[in-house]
Amino acid sequence: MTYLRPNFRHPDAPTNRIGFTEKDYEGALSTLCAGCGHDSISSAIVSACFELSIEPHRVAKLSGIGCSSKTPTYFLSNSHGFNSVHGRMPSVTTGANLANRDLIYLGVSGDGDSASIGLGQFGHVVRRNLNMLYVLENNGCYGLTKGQTSATTDLDSVNKAGVNNPFEPIDLTKLALQLGATFVARSFSGDKEQLVPLIKAAISHRGFAFIDVISPCVTFNNNPGSKKSYDFVREHCEATATIDFVPMQEEITTAYEPGSTKEVTLHDGSVIRLQKPMTDYRPDNRHAALEALHRAEQRGEILTGLLYIDEDPSDLHDTLNTVSTALNALDEEALCPGNKVLQSINRSFR
Amino acid sequence: MTYLRPNFRHPDAPTNRIGFTEKDYEGALSTLCAGCGHDSISSAIVSACFELSIEPHRVAKLSGIGCSSKTPTYFLSNSHGFNSVHGRMPSVTTGANLANRDLIYLGVSGDGDSASIGLGQFGHVVRRNLNMLYVLENNGCYGLTKGQTSATTDLDSVNKAGVNNPFEPIDLTKLALQLGATFVARSFSGDKEQLVPLIKAAISHRGFAFIDVISPCVTFNNNPGSKKSYDFVREHCEATATIDFVPMQEEITTAYEPGSTKEVTLHDGSVIRLQKPMTDYRPDNRHAALEALHRAEQRGEILTGLLYIDEDPSDLHDTLNTVSTALNALDEEALCPGNKVLQSINRSFR
Amino acid sequence: MSVVNAASASFQSGKKANQALNELVVKFANVNGTGSASANNLFAKAIFRMGLPVSPKNIFPSNIQGLPTWYEVRISEKGYLARRDGVDLMVAVNPQSMVKDVREVVSGGYFLYDSTKPLDLRLVRDDVNYIGIPLTAMCLQEYTDPRQRQLFKNIIYVGALAALLDIEFEVLTGLISDQFKGKEKLIAPNVHALELGYQYAAKHFDCPLAIKVERRDLVGDKILVGGNDATGLGAIYGGATVAAWYPITPSTSVVEAYEKYAKRLRIDAGTGKQKFAVIQAEDELSAIGMVIGAAWNGARAFTATSGPGISLMSEFLGLAYFAEVPAVLVDVQRTGPSTGMPTRTQQSDLLACAYASHGDTKHIVLLPSTPKECFDFTAQAFDLADRFQTPVVVLSDLDLGMNDHLCDPFDWDDSRRYDRGKVLDAEQLDQLTAEGKRFGRYLDVDGDGVCYRTYPGTHPNKGSFFTRGTSRDEYAIYTEDGSVYAENMDRLLKKFDTAKSAVPEPVSIPSHKGRKPQFGIILFGTSVFAVEEAMDTLADAGLHGDALVVKAFPFHPEVEAYLARHEQVFVVEQNRDAQMRTLLMSELDESPGKLIPLLNYDGMPLTASKVVSEIRATMTRDAVAEKEPVSAGAAE
Amino acid sequence: MSVVNAASASFQSGKKANQALNELVVKFANVNGTGSASANNLFAKAIFRMGLPVSPKNIFPSNIQGLPTWYEVRISEKGYLARRDGVDLMVAVNPQSMVKDVREVVSGGYFLYDSTKPLDLRLVRDDVNYIGIPLTAMCLQEYTDPRQRQLFKNIIYVGALAALLDIEFEVLTGLISDQFKGKEKLIAPNVHALELGYQYAAKHFDCPLAIKVERRDLVGDKILVGGNDATGLGAIYGGATVAAWYPITPSTSVVEAYEKYAKRLRIDAGTGKQKFAVIQAEDELSAIGMVIGAAWNGARAFTATSGPGISLMSEFLGLAYFAEVPAVLVDVQRTGPSTGMPTRTQQSDLLACAYASHGDTKHIVLLPSTPKECFDFTAQAFDLADRFQTPVVVLSDLDLGMNDHLCDPFDWDDSRRYDRGKVLDAEQLDQLTAEGKRFGRYLDVDGDGVCYRTYPGTHPNKGSFFTRGTSRDEYAIYTEDGSVYAENMDRLLKKFDTAKSAVPEPVSIPSHKGRKPQFGIILFGTSVFAVEEAMDTLADAGLHGDALVVKAFPFHPEVEAYLARHEQVFVVEQNRDAQMRTLLMSELDESPGKLIPLLNYDGMPLTASKVVSEIRATMTRDAVAEKEPVSAGAAE
Ligand SMILES: Cc1ncc(C[n+]2csc(CCOP(=O)(O)OP(=O)(O)O)c2C)c(N)n1
Ligand SMILES: Cc1ncc(C[n+]2csc(CCOP(=O)(O)OP(=O)(O)O)c2C)c(N)n1
Ligand code: SF4
Ligand code: SF4
Ligand SMILES: [Mg+2]
Ligand SMILES: [Mg+2]
């Protein structure tokens, strides 16, 4: 079901420093719903990697399970990818990174994948400061299993099945800050102007970089107040009780200035208020970042942008003091102590 | 291996409001190491329940796996107990509470149980505001499996196997505050004066109450600077490479005034600095509590006492709008809609 | 016949056209997310209301929008409900899958397509009849809202099918009225769309076709319902008050159904409060933990999951087995392992459920074949779990759970009381003391391996005990004594043995006209539809067998008796590794030579033809072998 | 004899005293946390250094301090290493367990106790010889530091045993010197304590006793080592660079050993940096996830766990099976299910490992019997995992892993190269293109079911693929096509079949003097010690059998051949549910009637007498049955 894009390459397409066109960073055709925020993120990843002139095959893409976790198929088709099991991308990425410190690790996850089943692994990969970019494609619901609430769903929002969410959402940026993440940012899937530079910065960061990307699920994330044009159709679907009609939607895009607040209307008519910190906001204080998040929240705003960065962290390989050669590149020579040593070990057992 | 205490009851032992003596709240003889902080916590639980005049059988004790999780055997022998599986006490307690809202739920866990394998369940039980007391018996190590570091182990401390801990500890009080816990406190196992009232308050709280109790593992939690009297013996054990010698230790107790700081020397000679907030500290602001924790930490102090309380929270039963009768007390009459209704349901399938 | 669309002028008419009355397969090839499933369901339900046995299968992709999806409807007045290969009429409105779709049509069958654009010539087969309807064009003309354009396309083709297959139009309008009760303004537009299709077909083609339907009185009071709905309802009737779950296809709709019915039937009249609690856990480990906690505390609790959840729950299942805590768990199987094919069916979790967990463990597993059994077995599962103080798995599958099945109506004996098993209340505890006896949680008082328990909070100073997953004696006191451990494990086996006669009995399918069976068949779950049909076909070919539909693990004594009566038994199952066969050998010491595996594991529901061909091949081979014995002089 | 302590005057001397040379069981009953294990180990090692086969078993509780703990040492110049019932000399220094301890002494045996306080008269048996040594009093007098008082008590009784059993004192002092190399100041005090004990015994009792030891030359170049140490070392030699684990008894010391050796042998000489990474994960799910991630990325990685970890890892194991990612997993089994008896041994995770995960899965399982095999099989596990791109479980148990075993020394062929399996590098990928071929991750190019893989980062534009646990085609492209799924599952079976001849071969134990065997025995792991001894005993009684020690799953063809050669085979295993027998039936279609389960599951290592009595009972019963056939007229 995964279609490979036609391999047509435009002769005048601009190339980057190492001679690749943006097309070289693309993946298979997406099978997500039309207008899904996750697709916008994939395209931001493509742009960021192109602009950074990364060799595509030096990236490893890892994910859990969910619509979001499917996306690594839809970018960087010359990279190896690993769509693992639900909620466990962090551990798989940790192992991969330990095996070969020389690649770039790009982990993609959903809010269900990270904040529900994966909360434990999320907390611990942060704590270990694994050198990776962790992209949370946060749509506040379970897309792939048809719209249940997740742990980041807003309080009192109503899902497709008409169930009201009675729980406070978990804000993973706060948790990441609390647990010692060395790069924490938030953005909006449709805000390429903000998202692409953040991804670039995160990839360049030598340590754990977390980006919480608000990414609207056009199909299931419907807030209650919504009174949009397709009421008739919606009622129709409700009556038939099969959630199998997904109207075609357009990608939601936005752009706004640092220091400003922007209201973004989602497909269902609900509105979120995104806020970019002032240009003089200095993301060098973990505690201040938590403060800023807290204040924005009190104003009903979602603070976006780079919230915190520790510019010189020590990553897991530093902590473990591993050799600079990738562990997967060591051979018998380097690894096997040989029979002579073994015989002396035998002596210790006599 | 669990010995029941001799059933001798002193005739003049004081009784509480409902006629029980403190003995009636005790459990089987502990099989923990002499001097283990966990035993002090058990005794504080006994005192608190006695003083609150709780009917012992109206308490349900639940735990995970670990030395800490064994302790429910050592108090309240007239209560049902459930020593479940490692890291999953929160889910088992959630189920138990849903089944019968009328009992008092006392969950006991260790730092390995809660902050390592159980981090996800911890986060989610907090978020659901389950009406329970969650006692974290926090010794900063894995006691039962012989002294490995846990996620709350101090940075750079060295365990019995000589391994240095390179990771920042997770502070579960902060996490609990962040995730919306409605009662958050910290104490020290040996500070009965502070601990007993906190347990009483927590039991009386109608919602999720979390107490992080620093509880020294006299056997495995040895900090590096330690140069105490039994060096000879320690070296002896190191040389034989079997960690099976556990010197007899005394319980560590302490007492100090609100607003003051107290240095407590642990068995290995290392020192921790406990701090009680001033009497005018008002535990009614979640954000301020996080602030206070942050400031104490910066001073190298461990803030103890009641950090935050929401006096009128809605617990999970409120959220789910369940009936006031315990669900486990409903019978066929209340639960089974009967054949007539079923026949009308049949009609909807034709 | 003029079924070829005039617009695509190059096709010729006058091809061979099959004839069929009330025996056909209609398949819909759509794109998911376009609202086709409900339209296709309307079609299936109309057939059902015409008194005809019908069996719809939704074959959907593991994404939300934009990928090929199919809906197969088998109509059979003979009453065959299994999937059948070969499509008599294909409604092909998805260009992505058309190449494949056209191949599936039987020779002489029909291919209905959207003729707004001309058909790709490469798709044209000489032996298939093409029916072009300009669905998109009709919608463009009729509707302005793009969403309505998409949605009503499906209703239009259902209307067309009514004309083509001779479906009673009033049945369709009746269904529309029922469906939109309370939203009456939606009725007229839907009926209008049906009429559009009907009239287009009636006008352009010789309606009805030579394949068609006609009212019969063959479904009686039967119902058409999905297994997951039935399971959710069974949990209501069985008295479940706590449902903890984590979403996973194809089990999600079990708890959704439970909640739907609970919100209707379990609201306290006075206060409006809920006599149940549904909790979406953070994962499967938490979900089963909640179930165990609730059941330990005396509530009836359950979870529903699929394979990955079973794997994650297995430590907890071992705990419940050893600590003897009831738990009801519904596993709606999908194709495994790992994430597998989450939208395809299989029976490959059998071993994982029967023996879930490390250490020596065995769990009760119930094996429903129909929604009716989903309802009955789920309700019964709570009794069994309470009675035997152990996990009980209701093992369903995607086909059973998510597709509608024709089955007997649900019924409930109002005099039935829940069997809560051996639970002592305060009075009984006092009585024990009066008799000078000591309560022992794990004392085998009755010699059946089942002990007495108490709920927390029962008595101020009697009956409390400590539950643990570590070894303990008969009084629930911790011990590491090896013989105590071994005796307890033996008692657990005895308990499992006691359960054998308490689980649902197997159901036998006799041979044709009571002929002496030449072979036996053992099967379970949704394989029953294919096997029943296959037995008829085989009997027609002179091959007579009987069959036993196993309904539970541990095996009821009748399973052993059946095996003893047969020399050769086909074990039909929908997995690769012949898991039921392994269970039969290991639990009943049955000879492998006697048990011939008959396996299907491509994720599609089993067909009768697969069963027929495999049995026929074996029987023929054996017959040949018998006739041509190894020549006397042959070496060993 | 004057072994009865004068202080407790009421005991009489002149009892029957057994005689034994180099064939005895000495058991120590202590309290845990008192440092006894290392003293007891000193005792065992001294026997070993006297050239005598010895087999120590540490039987410890699941807590840290204050509960009864035992240490059993079997000395056997015949070379029997199994546990043996009946204690010849009990060193009983724990009042808590004395009642039980005294019962275990054989008639005519010895009971050494701390006579500081008089012995409880109820503990006195007429047929046992009591040896009182005032251990506490001696320590009180000798040491001031309470910790030294406790610690040296153990060394003192070892000294006393030297005198009583005639252990060469220099061997003990030699061991002390070795042990405290680098901490020389500790040597003298230890030797002093030994002397204290020695002299007390020499002075108060007729030393040596009638049971005693004498130097032999029976251990050759053998070593005395625990299986977990060997496993950790095997991982070093096998080239593992990533170890991710979560602590759990009894597997903890596997990764601890790996880390210990790695810190010695895997430090880069120039930089002091580590050529390995050990990571204590937050739980078992994370540990196996890390292993899979690392192995996917081309490193050799492993984890070690016990039963509960296997349960938790099973979803991930299904992923690795299906996605074909190598992974090495050591399961040191303890008594299950659930938390079970974490400090007791068992072989009850066999099925859980062989079939781990929902869906159809089978995993390679290696079954070491000795530390030497732990070393060899662990190193080999990495080759097998790479070669077959699938999880490999090294299935050990507590007895093997945590107790010292006498075994052949480790050795390594320096010319041996790691078998990294079918991995294409950049050059080979270019070559493929040059040949006009397309790389297909799941293409069965060689027809053995094993495909070619590439590591991430290999080539700028060739060889990348997407790994997933959902269905995909031969080019790793996602598909939900049922036939593609089924073909892939069939190929996985073929791959498993290919593995049969690559796994370690079974080892046969011939019958005595080549006598025609009357029965066969199939066994695995630590049951080998008891079975070897039992075969001798049975042979003495005229019952001749041979045995096959199975070393791996899938079964090597030789296992099937062995079964074919025998009519009656006892399947010896240390679990309740006869899990190996189930595997034999289900994988080899072996007849249940032929396979007689011989089970031990109380958590203690199997004894020869258990094997002997069960086999003898069956054989006698069969013999009787043969002689008395059912009378001709009897009804069916
Ligand atoms: C162990 C396990 N449990 C449940 C599922 C079913 N499942 C698949 S995706 C998903 C949730 C996805 O939500 P999220 O991570 O937010 O991704 P989204 O689809 O919203 O992008 C679930 C529950 C699974 N695949 N595995
Ligand atoms: C699934 C599982 N993994 C590992 C273990 C082994 N285990 C037992 S207790 C424990 C850690 C206990 O640490 P903590 O919770 O801090 O309790 P403490 O003993 O320190 O009080 C571990 C890892 C287990 N019982 N179950
Ligand atoms: S369901 Fe939601 S998250 Fe999934 S692809 Fe569609 S829009 Fe995106
Ligand atoms: S090991 Fe530590 S935590 Fe466990 S009982 Fe002993 S002192 Fe307490
Ligand atoms: Mg989501
Ligand atoms: Mg701890």
Side-chain angles (χ1 to χ4, degrees), chain C residues 62 336 360 480 485 490 576 601, chain D residues 336 360 480 485 490 576 601:
Chain C
S62 177
D360 293 303
E480 292 173 354
Y485 166 84
D490 290 341
R576 184 195 67 180
Y601 48 95
Chain D
D360 293 303
E480 292 172 355
Y485 167 85
D490 289 341
R576 184 194 66 179
Y601 49 96

Side-chain angles (χ1 to χ4, degrees), chain C residues 61-62 311 321 335-336 338 340 348-349 358-360 469-470 480 482 485 489-490 576-577 579 581 589-590 592 601-602, chain D residues 61-62 311 321 335-336 338 340 348-349 358-360 469-470 480 482 485 489-490 576-577 579 581 589-590 592 601-602:
Chain C
S62 177
S311 286
Y321 174 81
T335 307
S338 191
S348 59
D349 296 349
H358 64 282
D360 293 303
T470 43
E480 292 173 354
Y485 166 84
M489 290 299 284
D490 290 341
R576 184 195 67 180
D577 290 343
Q579 302 187 10
R581 183 171 176 264
D589 271 8
E590 192 45 74
Y601 48 95
D602 63 0
Chain D
S62 176
S311 287
Y321 174 80
T335 307
S338 190
S348 59
D349 297 347
H358 64 283
D360 293 303
T470 42
E480 292 172 355
Y485 167 85
M489 290 300 283
D490 289 341
R576 184 194 66 179
D577 290 343
Q579 301 187 10
R581 183 171 176 264
D589 271 10
E590 193 44 76
Y601 49 96
D602 64 0

Side-chain angles (χ1 to χ4, degrees), chain A residues 38 65-68 86 110-113 139 141 143-145, chain C residues 246-247 284:
Chain A
H38 298 351
I65 300 288
C67 294
S68 35
H86 193 30
D111 44 317
D113 205 57
N139 55 12
C141 75
L144 192 56
T145 50
Chain C
Y246 189 69
E284 289 86 349

Side-chain angles (χ1 to χ4, degrees), chain C residues 227-229 231-232 250-259 302 304 330 332:
Chain C
N228 287 354
D229 239 36
T231 302
S251 74
T252 296
S253 47
V254 170
V255 179
E256 282 175 355
Y258 172 82
E259 191 163 17
F302 78 106
V330 179
V332 187

